[in-house]
Amino acid sequence: MFKDDVTIILDAPKDIPPVDADPDKIAIALKHLVHFLRGAEDQRAEEVVLKISIRPGLSAQGSSYIYVAVEANGAQHPMSEISAALRIFERVHEGLDRQFHKHRLGLPIAKSYIELNSGKFNIKPLSDERTLIRFALPIAQEGHQQTFERLAS
C-alpha cells in the first residue's frame, strides 16, 4: 500500500476488547489517515514515521472506549490546512486547471466513518512538525461482541 518512505510503529496491548464498529469502515478510515499524515511527496524532507498507540479507557467516563492516537513526523500540516481538509467538497469546481490534493481528500471521509461508528475524532498540529490524530471507538457490549468478532475475521 505504501512505498518505503513510511515506517509504522504500533504500540498496543495484546488484550484489546472488540469495538462496536464496522471493521471495514475503520480500516478505510485508518488508510485515509495514514495517507493524510504522509502528506504530498514534495512536502516531505525525510521518511515519515507513524506511531500508532491503542489504549482502553481508564477513567469512569472513558472506560467504554478504546482510544487510538496516530502521531506522525515529516510533512507539516498547519491548522489552516487541517481545517480546509476537513471541509467536505470544498473544491466543487474551479475550471479545467483545478488541482486536488489527493493526500487531503480522505480526511473528511475518515472523520465521518469514525463518527458514524459512534466514535470521537480530534486532530491537531504539534509545534515541532508533527501532527497528532486521536479518535475513540466504543467497546462492544456483550451482546455485540460475537457479531463484531465474526465481522473482523
PDB file of all heavy atoms in Angstrom, residues 85-101:
ATOM      1  N   ALA A  85      -8.888  20.720   4.851  1.00  0.00           N
ATOM      2  CA  ALA A  85      -9.004  19.301   4.501  1.00  0.00           C
ATOM      3  C   ALA A  85     -10.247  18.675   5.119  1.00  0.00           C
ATOM      4  O   ALA A  85     -10.791  17.719   4.574  1.00  0.00           O
ATOM      5  CB  ALA A  85      -7.754  18.551   4.951  1.00  0.00           C
ATOM      6  N   LEU A  86     -10.711  19.193   6.234  1.00  0.00           N
ATOM      7  CA  LEU A  86     -11.893  18.627   6.895  1.00  0.00           C
ATOM      8  C   LEU A  86     -13.204  19.113   6.290  1.00  0.00           C
ATOM      9  O   LEU A  86     -14.254  18.554   6.585  1.00  0.00           O
ATOM     10  CB  LEU A  86     -11.877  18.935   8.388  1.00  0.00           C
ATOM     11  CG  LEU A  86     -10.904  18.099   9.197  1.00  0.00           C
ATOM     12  CD1 LEU A  86     -10.814  18.608  10.628  1.00  0.00           C
ATOM     13  CD2 LEU A  86     -11.282  16.636   9.163  1.00  0.00           C
ATOM     14  N   ARG A  87     -13.140  20.138   5.450  1.00  0.00           N
ATOM     15  CA  ARG A  87     -14.363  20.612   4.800  1.00  0.00           C
ATOM     16  C   ARG A  87     -14.670  19.715   3.612  1.00  0.00           C
ATOM     17  O   ARG A  87     -13.906  19.654   2.649  1.00  0.00           O
ATOM     18  CB  ARG A  87     -14.218  22.065   4.365  1.00  0.00           C
ATOM     19  CG  ARG A  87     -14.269  23.029   5.534  1.00  0.00           C
ATOM     20  CD  ARG A  87     -14.453  24.455   5.084  1.00  0.00           C
ATOM     21  NE  ARG A  87     -13.341  24.970   4.310  1.00  0.00           N
ATOM     22  CZ  ARG A  87     -12.265  25.561   4.833  1.00  0.00           C
ATOM     23  NH1 ARG A  87     -12.165  25.696   6.132  1.00  0.00           N
ATOM     24  NH2 ARG A  87     -11.309  25.999   4.060  1.00  0.00           N
ATOM     25  N   ILE A  88     -15.779  19.037   3.683  1.00  0.00           N
ATOM     26  CA  ILE A  88     -16.166  18.104   2.634  1.00  0.00           C
ATOM     27  C   ILE A  88     -16.537  18.879   1.377  1.00  0.00           C
ATOM     28  O   ILE A  88     -17.283  19.850   1.425  1.00  0.00           O
ATOM     29  CB  ILE A  88     -17.351  17.227   3.098  1.00  0.00           C
ATOM     30  CG1 ILE A  88     -16.916  16.426   4.328  1.00  0.00           C
ATOM     31  CG2 ILE A  88     -17.824  16.312   1.985  1.00  0.00           C
ATOM     32  CD1 ILE A  88     -18.024  15.647   4.960  1.00  0.00           C
ATOM     33  N   PHE A  89     -16.007  18.445   0.250  1.00  0.00           N
ATOM     34  CA  PHE A  89     -16.303  19.026  -1.061  1.00  0.00           C
ATOM     35  C   PHE A  89     -16.023  20.517  -1.107  1.00  0.00           C
ATOM     36  O   PHE A  89     -16.782  21.281  -1.687  1.00  0.00           O
ATOM     37  CB  PHE A  89     -17.740  18.747  -1.490  1.00  0.00           C
ATOM     38  CG  PHE A  89     -18.079  17.301  -1.504  1.00  0.00           C
ATOM     39  CD1 PHE A  89     -19.108  16.804  -0.733  1.00  0.00           C
ATOM     40  CD2 PHE A  89     -17.355  16.412  -2.281  1.00  0.00           C
ATOM     41  CE1 PHE A  89     -19.421  15.456  -0.738  1.00  0.00           C
ATOM     42  CE2 PHE A  89     -17.658  15.064  -2.290  1.00  0.00           C
ATOM     43  CZ  PHE A  89     -18.685  14.586  -1.527  1.00  0.00           C
ATOM     44  N   GLU A  90     -14.913  20.946  -0.499  1.00  0.00           N
ATOM     45  CA  GLU A  90     -14.574  22.353  -0.510  1.00  0.00           C
ATOM     46  C   GLU A  90     -14.383  22.863  -1.929  1.00  0.00           C
ATOM     47  O   GLU A  90     -14.829  23.930  -2.288  1.00  0.00           O
ATOM     48  CB  GLU A  90     -13.290  22.589   0.298  1.00  0.00           C
ATOM     49  CG  GLU A  90     -12.851  24.028   0.246  1.00  0.00           C
ATOM     50  CD  GLU A  90     -11.466  24.216   0.816  1.00  0.00           C
ATOM     51  OE1 GLU A  90     -10.574  23.420   0.496  1.00  0.00           O
ATOM     52  OE2 GLU A  90     -11.291  25.153   1.571  1.00  0.00           O
ATOM     53  N   ARG A  91     -13.732  22.076  -2.767  1.00  0.00           N
ATOM     54  CA  ARG A  91     -13.469  22.484  -4.143  1.00  0.00           C
ATOM     55  C   ARG A  91     -14.406  21.719  -5.069  1.00  0.00           C
ATOM     56  O   ARG A  91     -14.073  20.655  -5.547  1.00  0.00           O
ATOM     57  CB  ARG A  91     -12.020  22.182  -4.510  1.00  0.00           C
ATOM     58  CG  ARG A  91     -11.047  22.955  -3.678  1.00  0.00           C
ATOM     59  CD  ARG A  91      -9.655  22.490  -4.023  1.00  0.00           C
ATOM     60  NE  ARG A  91      -8.707  23.242  -3.249  1.00  0.00           N
ATOM     61  CZ  ARG A  91      -7.698  23.900  -3.764  1.00  0.00           C
ATOM     62  NH1 ARG A  91      -7.479  23.875  -5.040  1.00  0.00           N
ATOM     63  NH2 ARG A  91      -6.875  24.572  -2.995  1.00  0.00           N
ATOM     64  N   VAL A  92     -15.555  22.287  -5.349  1.00  0.00           N
ATOM     65  CA  VAL A  92     -16.503  21.610  -6.212  1.00  0.00           C
ATOM     66  C   VAL A  92     -16.069  21.737  -7.663  1.00  0.00           C
ATOM     67  O   VAL A  92     -15.977  20.767  -8.385  1.00  0.00           O
ATOM     68  CB  VAL A  92     -17.928  22.173  -6.011  1.00  0.00           C
ATOM     69  CG1 VAL A  92     -18.881  21.547  -6.995  1.00  0.00           C
ATOM     70  CG2 VAL A  92     -18.377  21.946  -4.587  1.00  0.00           C
ATOM     71  N   HIS A  93     -15.762  22.959  -8.094  1.00  0.00           N
ATOM     72  CA  HIS A  93     -15.324  23.142  -9.475  1.00  0.00           C
ATOM     73  C   HIS A  93     -14.533  24.433  -9.567  1.00  0.00           C
ATOM     74  O   HIS A  93     -15.004  25.477  -9.148  1.00  0.00           O
ATOM     75  CB  HIS A  93     -16.518  23.183 -10.421  1.00  0.00           C
ATOM     76  CG  HIS A  93     -16.123  23.328 -11.857  1.00  0.00           C
ATOM     77  ND1 HIS A  93     -15.509  22.311 -12.545  1.00  0.00           N
ATOM     78  CD2 HIS A  93     -16.230  24.358 -12.707  1.00  0.00           C
ATOM     79  CE1 HIS A  93     -15.270  22.714 -13.789  1.00  0.00           C
ATOM     80  NE2 HIS A  93     -15.696  23.946 -13.902  1.00  0.00           N
ATOM     81  N   GLU A  94     -13.342  24.345 -10.113  1.00  0.00           N
ATOM     82  CA  GLU A  94     -12.517  25.530 -10.276  1.00  0.00           C
ATOM     83  C   GLU A  94     -11.984  25.621 -11.696  1.00  0.00           C
ATOM     84  O   GLU A  94     -10.888  26.105 -11.926  1.00  0.00           O
ATOM     85  CB  GLU A  94     -11.352  25.501  -9.281  1.00  0.00           C
ATOM     86  CG  GLU A  94     -11.808  25.650  -7.852  1.00  0.00           C
ATOM     87  CD  GLU A  94     -10.628  25.711  -6.904  1.00  0.00           C
ATOM     88  OE1 GLU A  94      -9.484  25.791  -7.361  1.00  0.00           O
ATOM     89  OE2 GLU A  94     -10.857  25.673  -5.694  1.00  0.00           O
ATOM     90  N   GLY A  95     -12.732  25.143 -12.655  1.00  0.00           N
ATOM     91  CA  GLY A  95     -12.297  25.219 -14.046  1.00  0.00           C
ATOM     92  C   GLY A  95     -11.418  24.046 -14.426  1.00  0.00           C
ATOM     93  O   GLY A  95     -11.250  23.091 -13.679  1.00  0.00           O
ATOM     94  N   LEU A  96     -10.862  24.107 -15.612  1.00  0.00           N
ATOM     95  CA  LEU A  96     -10.078  22.990 -16.137  1.00  0.00           C
ATOM     96  C   LEU A  96      -8.721  22.832 -15.463  1.00  0.00           C
ATOM     97  O   LEU A  96      -8.123  21.769 -15.516  1.00  0.00           O
ATOM     98  CB  LEU A  96      -9.883  23.155 -17.650  1.00  0.00           C
ATOM     99  CG  LEU A  96     -11.172  23.096 -18.469  1.00  0.00           C
ATOM    100  CD1 LEU A  96     -10.881  23.383 -19.928  1.00  0.00           C
ATOM    101  CD2 LEU A  96     -11.844  21.753 -18.297  1.00  0.00           C
ATOM    102  N   ASP A  97      -8.217  23.874 -14.837  1.00  0.00           N
ATOM    103  CA  ASP A  97      -6.895  23.796 -14.213  1.00  0.00           C
ATOM    104  C   ASP A  97      -6.969  23.537 -12.719  1.00  0.00           C
ATOM    105  O   ASP A  97      -6.015  23.765 -11.996  1.00  0.00           O
ATOM    106  CB  ASP A  97      -6.103  25.072 -14.481  1.00  0.00           C
ATOM    107  CG  ASP A  97      -6.771  26.303 -13.891  1.00  0.00           C
ATOM    108  OD1 ASP A  97      -7.977  26.232 -13.578  1.00  0.00           O
ATOM    109  OD2 ASP A  97      -6.088  27.331 -13.762  1.00  0.00           O
ATOM    110  N   ARG A  98      -8.106  23.032 -12.237  1.00  0.00           N
ATOM    111  CA  ARG A  98      -8.244  22.795 -10.800  1.00  0.00           C
ATOM    112  C   ARG A  98      -7.260  21.717 -10.343  1.00  0.00           C
ATOM    113  O   ARG A  98      -6.890  20.833 -11.100  1.00  0.00           O
ATOM    114  CB  ARG A  98      -9.676  22.410 -10.456  1.00  0.00           C
ATOM    115  CG  ARG A  98     -10.107  21.093 -11.055  1.00  0.00           C
ATOM    116  CD  ARG A  98     -11.575  20.845 -10.725  1.00  0.00           C
ATOM    117  NE  ARG A  98     -12.004  19.596 -11.276  1.00  0.00           N
ATOM    118  CZ  ARG A  98     -12.736  19.454 -12.363  1.00  0.00           C
ATOM    119  NH1 ARG A  98     -13.103  20.512 -13.042  1.00  0.00           N
ATOM    120  NH2 ARG A  98     -13.094  18.272 -12.787  1.00  0.00           N
ATOM    121  N   GLN A  99      -6.864  21.820  -9.083  1.00  0.00           N
ATOM    122  CA  GLN A  99      -5.948  20.847  -8.508  1.00  0.00           C
ATOM    123  C   GLN A  99      -6.561  20.291  -7.233  1.00  0.00           C
ATOM    124  O   GLN A  99      -7.101  21.034  -6.425  1.00  0.00           O
ATOM    125  CB  GLN A  99      -4.606  21.491  -8.175  1.00  0.00           C
ATOM    126  CG  GLN A  99      -3.832  21.932  -9.377  1.00  0.00           C
ATOM    127  CD  GLN A  99      -2.483  22.497  -8.954  1.00  0.00           C
ATOM    128  OE1 GLN A  99      -2.195  22.679  -7.782  1.00  0.00           O
ATOM    129  NE2 GLN A  99      -1.661  22.778  -9.940  1.00  0.00           N
ATOM    130  N   PHE A 100      -6.476  18.991  -7.082  1.00  0.00           N
ATOM    131  CA  PHE A 100      -6.953  18.342  -5.873  1.00  0.00           C
ATOM    132  C   PHE A 100      -5.749  17.713  -5.187  1.00  0.00           C
ATOM    133  O   PHE A 100      -4.938  17.069  -5.824  1.00  0.00           O
ATOM    134  CB  PHE A 100      -7.984  17.256  -6.202  1.00  0.00           C
ATOM    135  CG  PHE A 100      -9.222  17.807  -6.826  1.00  0.00           C
ATOM    136  CD1 PHE A 100      -9.428  17.713  -8.193  1.00  0.00           C
ATOM    137  CD2 PHE A 100     -10.182  18.438  -6.056  1.00  0.00           C
ATOM    138  CE1 PHE A 100     -10.572  18.231  -8.767  1.00  0.00           C
ATOM    139  CE2 PHE A 100     -11.328  18.952  -6.624  1.00  0.00           C
ATOM    140  CZ  PHE A 100     -11.526  18.847  -7.989  1.00  0.00           C
ATOM    141  N   HIS A 101      -5.637  17.930  -3.920  1.00  0.00           N
ATOM    142  CA  HIS A 101      -4.552  17.353  -3.148  1.00  0.00           C
ATOM    143  C   HIS A 101      -5.018  15.985  -2.669  1.00  0.00           C
ATOM    144  O   HIS A 101      -5.762  15.878  -1.701  1.00  0.00           O
ATOM    145  CB  HIS A 101      -4.190  18.254  -1.967  1.00  0.00           C
ATOM    146  CG  HIS A 101      -3.775  19.628  -2.396  1.00  0.00           C
ATOM    147  ND1 HIS A 101      -2.529  19.878  -2.894  1.00  0.00           N
ATOM    148  CD2 HIS A 101      -4.457  20.789  -2.431  1.00  0.00           C
ATOM    149  CE1 HIS A 101      -2.439  21.167  -3.200  1.00  0.00           C
ATOM    150  NE2 HIS A 101      -3.603  21.732  -2.934  1.00  0.00           N
TER     151      HIS A 101
END
